[in-house]
């Protein structure tokens, strides 16, 4: 071949090691983050990005305006995990940054769906937002009751516990929603309204959640406990009220979890909580189609209620119980 022919030959092209999702380049898209999702097929970075693209419009209303911590697993869930709250060198401009009183560095915030692609790009496998009012970290925006069963407790018992929390909240004038946690637990979530007339503190919100859980423990000590001591948890369900504090977080609805099987925290209708329910069925593979046809949490924003009146009722009930 002549020198001229060599010079005119088109250069070899190397396949780009990236994909584009929601306008964001996803590098190393074939990087495996989960070994499988119950289907023996690995879940890749690209799969994660496409998952966020599919469920992002649903997720964003529960993320927007709230500081959010991200659990990252650059080498997959079997490797080292990083807990990121603040911007770092190279952090995407798609993230919003919000200032929190008393903290020097601004917190990350996810205020647009496209930012979820940036989450996937850094292998963000879990999202843990604050439970504040959107745009106001100092005011409680929801209560989260985390029902965490001991390993020997059947899921049916956790369902009954969730129903009991719901009934007690309804008796106090509050409306609640439920979701799986991505494990054996259930979260009961109560949206709170924010008005200058009824603006409760984080201290009051936490005290309310604690009192409700303690009343459940007092009524059924053979079923529940409200302390974190694992040695005392055999056969019991831990009623975790500690999510209801200023800087506490809870896994977001539809967030994946860094666990085997690529499960997600799945929002459900109360009628779906049946003894035959298997929380393992909700994965990165199955959740998009399920949430697309679900009416779960549809009226969430219309059911916000003030916490002040409920606090008065629970305190009054507690006082009567002590007097008796």
């Amino acid at each position: 071949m002549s020198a001229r022919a060599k010079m005119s030959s088109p250069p070899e092209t190397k396949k780009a090691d990236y994909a584009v999702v929601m306008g964001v380049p996803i590098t190393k898209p074939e990087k495996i983050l989960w070994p499988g999702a119950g289907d023996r097929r690995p879940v890749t970075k690209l799969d994660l990005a496409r998952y966020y693209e599919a469920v992002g419009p649903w997720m964003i209303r529960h993320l927007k305006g709230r500081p959010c911590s991200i659990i990252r697993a650059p080498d997959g869930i079997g490797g080292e995990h990083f807990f990121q709250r603040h911007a770092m060198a190279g952090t995407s401009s798609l993230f919003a940054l919000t200032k929190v009183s008393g903290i020097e560095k601004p917190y990350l915030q996810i205020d647009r769906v496209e930012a979820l692609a940036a989450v996937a790009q850094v292998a963000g496998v879990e999202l843990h937002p604050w439970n504040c009012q959107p745009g106001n970290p100092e005011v409680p925006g929801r209560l989260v009751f985390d029902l965490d069963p001991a390993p020997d407790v059947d899921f049916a018992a956790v369902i009954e516990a969730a129903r009991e929390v719901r009934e007690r909240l309804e008796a106090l004038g509050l409306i609640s929603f439920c979701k799986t946690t991505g494990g054996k637990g259930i979260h009961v979530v109560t949206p709170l309204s924010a008005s200058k007339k009824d603006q409760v503190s984080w201290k009051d919100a936490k005290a309310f959640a604690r009192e409700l859980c303690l009343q459940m423990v007092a009524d059924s000590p053979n079923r529940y406990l409200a302390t974190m001591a694992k040695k005392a948890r055999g056969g019991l369900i831990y009623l975790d009220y500690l999510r209801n504090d200023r800087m506490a977080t809870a896994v977001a609805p539809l967030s994946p979890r860094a666990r085997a099987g690529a499960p997600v925290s799945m929002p459900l209708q109360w009628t779906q909580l049946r003894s035959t329910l298997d929380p393992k069925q909700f994965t990165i593979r199955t959740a998009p189609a399920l949430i697309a046809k679900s009416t779960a949490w549809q009226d969430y924003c219309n059911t916000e209620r003030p916490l002040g009146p409920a606090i008065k009722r629970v305190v009054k009930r507690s006082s009567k119980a002590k007097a008796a």
Side-chain angles (χ1 to χ4, degrees), residues 173-311:
L174 298 173
I175 297 173
S176 59
F177 297 81
C178 62
K179 65 185 181 74
T180 64
T181 61
K184 282 186 65 181
I186 292 175
H187 281 173
V188 178
V189 182
T190 303
L192 302 176
S193 61
S195 67
K196 290 184 178 178
K197 269 183 168 180
D198 178 64
Q199 202 168 90
V200 301
S201 67
W202 279 111
K203 181 181 178 182
D204 291 338
K206 183 179 177 181
F208 169 84
R210 178 178 181 272
E211 183 58 36
L212 187 140
C213 291
L214 289 178
Q215 288 181 9
M216 288 180 64
V217 172
D219 291 343
S220 303
N222 61 330
R223 296 176 63 195
Y224 309 126
L225 81 165
T227 57
M228 294 182 69
K230 290 190 176 181
K231 62 181 180 181
R233 290 181 58 186
L236 302 175
I237 297 171
Y238 171 41
L239 307 179
D240 183 358
Y241 58 85
L242 298 175
R243 311 285 176 184
N244 305 295
D245 213 341
R246 178 173 175 264
M247 298 181 73
T249 64
V251 69
L254 290 174
S255 170
R257 302 307 304 267
R259 298 173 180 172
V264 304
S265 178
M266 188 70 183
L268 299 172
Q269 295 174 306
W270 282 104
T271 53
Q272 290 178 272
L273 279 191
R274 299 185 292 268
S275 58
T276 55
L277 183 72
D278 181 5
K280 292 178 183 176
Q281 70 183 288
F282 306 117
T283 72
I284 279 180
R285 302 261 198 247
T286 63
L290 292 172
I291 201 65
K293 61 185 180 183
S294 173
T295 58
W297 294 43
Q298 198 171 53
D299 54 348
Y300 181 96
C301 294
N302 299 322
T303 58
E304 296 172 341
R305 297 290 185 270
L307 185 57
I311 289 175

Side-chain angles (χ1 to χ4, degrees), residues 36 57 64 66 70-71 87 92 123 126 132 140 143 154-155 165-166 185 215 226 233 237 258 291 306 312-313:
K64 189 175 181 179
R66 298 177 169 102
I70 302 171
I71 293 181
S92 171
E126 294 191 10
C132 58
L143 299 176
D154 290 335
F155 190 62
V165 173
R166 180 196 188 194
Q215 288 181 9
R233 290 181 58 186
I237 297 171
I291 201 65
K312 291 176 184 176
R313 292 187 188 109

